[in-house]
Amino acid sequence: MAVTTPQVVEDEGSRARLVSAAAELVHAESYHSVGVKAICDRARVRRGSFYHFFESKQSLVLEAVEKIWEGFSAEVLEVCWDRSIEPRDRMERMVEQVVRRHTRDRERTGSVLGCSFGNLTAESTALDAAIRNRLVDVFDAWAAAVAVPISEAQAAGQIDREAPAHGMALEVVSELQGLILMAKARNEPAVIETGGRNIVARLWGARAP
Amino acid sequence: MAVTTPQVVEDEGSRARLVSAAAELVHAESYHSVGVKAICDRARVRRGSFYHFFESKQSLVLEAVEKIWEGFSAEVLEVCWDRSIEPRDRMERMVEQVVRRHTRDRERTGSVLGCSFGNLTAESTALDAAIRNRLVDVFDAWAAAVAVPISEAQAAGQIDREAPAHGMALEVVSELQGLILMAKARNEPAVIETGGRNIVARLWGARAP
């Protein structure tokens, strides 16, 4: 009887499961507290196969950032381009979707987990510049989406035209990052809701009631 | 010849060195990437002695947060109470001191390391509630300092009195946290400088030039 050497056939399902597991675990805990073993266990992929797909935890997490970005973009940012909705309502909905994500995290885990992009930034000193650079792209792309309703509102005379829309949008993203961090500290998504309402009200020239 | 069992005499110097080492290493890297061994090595304390002083890495880091807060408070916040300086100038100096800290970090290490309090918040999901609660106290104390020039400026009619000073101050702290995170992503302390100038200008009712 011939002895067959079983070849490890790793399907694309394993690869995708590793990316999903990394995205979930790093978000739920942190980059440095999650090891390759935990990611493999969650993905139901043998540890020995990990390096068949990825050079390192960092290269896996770089792909996980793409995956998180796709989900975030679809859930939170798509509304920014919807010209059937008033610019100010689009901004409000964008903020509401951010609040919804953090409310959902707390319902599911008991904790506001924070923004995956912001959390990774906070942990990035010890990481490759590749991850940090990708995070800058993410923040810029988020701001590019937010700039759409802002520039339309500027064109419609609803918002001050002196400042460039992209600069204002970068401020909005930065302010949201601050709010999400404060919401995480207090374990209270309402921090983002109240603060986000103030951001929109301030852009449109009046303080929220 | 009598065999003497050397008793480990751990002086207060060892304890203080452990706290300093934890404060430095966690700031330079991250909570989860720094182990007890690295902290002991940096502090020149034998690993076996660590638990003579601290129950756990978390309890050490809780003390490190106190130490960081003392330094931060003395360097950044003291000016908020200096009534010999105009309220707006105090706010500007507070922001400048924040910028100075992050500029100094980059000069020393090549990287904007971010705010120790913000970084720990981002990593806090897997940590004791004790640390998270202490971080909330820190953000509140920071806001209490910032509220001093704001409320004086309100009394002097320089700032809108409709919103309570403490609420405005909490917004300032949240916005600074967002800016520090963005500065870390871009490795550029000027992000805090520009954004901080906008915060102060907005509070005093005009956009920065």
Side-chain angles (χ1 to χ4, degrees), chain A:
Chain A
M1 212 175 123
V3 177
T4 56
T5 309
Q7 181 158 15
V8 177
V9 179
E10 297 291 355
D11 58 355
E12 276 305 302
S14 313
R15 189 176 209 291
R17 287 200 308 280
L18 284 168
V19 174
S20 295
E24 287 165 24
L25 287 176
V26 169
H27 186 223
E29 301 178 28
S30 83
Y31 178 87
H32 288 105
S33 63
V34 173
V36 167
K37 187 184 176 305
I39 296 169
C40 290
D41 288 351
R42 164 74 72 108
R44 287 167 290 114
V45 170
R46 277 168 300 143
R47 191 169 177 180
S49 310
F50 179 88
Y51 295 97
H52 174 73
F53 294 114
F54 299 99
E55 254 180 53
S56 63
K57 187 170 88 169
Q58 289 205 44
S59 60
L60 167 58
V61 169
L62 204 53
E63 279 205 34
V65 167
E66 296 314 308
K67 192 185 162 65
I68 298 166
W69 169 251
E70 281 166 24
F72 176 83
S73 190
E75 186 181 3
V76 176
L77 300 182
E78 229 161 52
V79 70
C80 291
W81 282 277
D82 185 345
R83 281 166 205 258
S84 73
I85 303 171
E86 276 292 302
R88 182 175 176 153
D89 293 341
R90 276 183 253 165
M91 280 289 282
E92 278 168 359
R93 290 202 200 174
M94 186 277 291
V95 172
E96 279 164 21
Q97 291 299 83
V98 172
V99 174
R100 192 162 302 166
R101 282 172 82 88
H102 298 285
T103 305
R104 194 170 61 209
D105 286 343
R106 194 178 62 172
E107 282 166 5
R108 215 184 57 226
T109 70
S111 298
V112 172
L113 304 175
C115 171
S116 291
F117 311 126
N119 291 346
L120 273 170
T121 301
E123 281 197 88
S124 67
T125 319
L127 300 181
D128 269 357
I131 290 190
R132 205 168 48 67
N133 291 337
R134 185 60 194 120
L135 293 166
V136 169
D137 290 344
V138 160
F139 295 128
D140 283 341
W142 185 345
V146 167
V148 174
I150 291 180
S151 61
E152 284 180 41
Q154 285 181 317
Q158 298 168 3
I159 287 185
D160 180 21
R161 289 183 209 204
E162 273 175 62
H166 189 66
M168 293 173 105
L170 281 171
E171 274 183 32
V172 170
V173 172
S174 174
E175 285 167 10
L176 284 172
Q177 284 297 322
L179 289 170
I180 294 167
L181 205 59
M182 295 301 98
K184 181 162 182 169
R186 294 179 200 273
N187 200 27
E188 182 47 81
V191 169
I192 312 167
E193 199 171 6
T194 310
R197 213 180 291 135
N198 284 338
I199 292 172
V200 178
R202 202 177 54 225
L203 276 172
W204 267 264
R207 221 173 160 79

Side-chain angles (χ1 to χ4, degrees), chain A residues 122 125 132 140 184-186, chain B residues 122 125 132 140 184-186 207:
Chain A
T125 319
R132 205 168 48 67
D140 283 341
K184 181 162 182 169
R186 294 179 200 273
Chain B
T125 319
R132 205 168 46 68
D140 283 342
K184 181 163 183 170
R186 295 180 199 273
R207 224 177 157 76

Side-chain angles (χ1 to χ4, degrees), chain B residues 10-23 31 36 39-40 43 45-67:
Chain B
E10 296 292 356
D11 58 355
E12 275 306 300
S14 313
R15 188 176 209 290
R17 286 201 308 279
L18 284 169
V19 173
S20 295
Y31 178 88
V36 167
I39 296 169
C40 290
V45 169
R46 276 167 300 144
R47 189 166 180 183
S49 310
F50 180 88
Y51 295 96
H52 173 74
F53 294 112
F54 297 99
E55 254 180 51
S56 62
K57 187 170 87 169
Q58 289 206 42
S59 60
L60 167 59
V61 169
L62 204 53
E63 279 204 35
V65 168
E66 296 314 309
K67 192 184 162 64

Side-chain angles (χ1 to χ4, degrees), chain B residues 134-193:
Chain B
R134 184 61 192 120
L135 293 166
V136 169
D137 289 344
V138 160
F139 296 128
D140 283 342
W142 186 343
V146 167
V148 174
I150 291 180
S151 61
E152 284 178 42
Q154 285 182 317
Q158 299 168 1
I159 287 186
D160 180 21
R161 289 183 209 206
E162 273 174 62
H166 189 66
M168 293 174 106
L170 281 171
E171 273 182 34
V172 170
V173 172
S174 173
E175 285 167 10
L176 284 172
Q177 284 297 322
L179 290 170
I180 295 167
L181 205 59
M182 296 301 98
K184 181 163 183 170
R186 295 180 199 273
N187 200 29
E188 182 47 81
V191 170
I192 312 168
E193 198 172 6

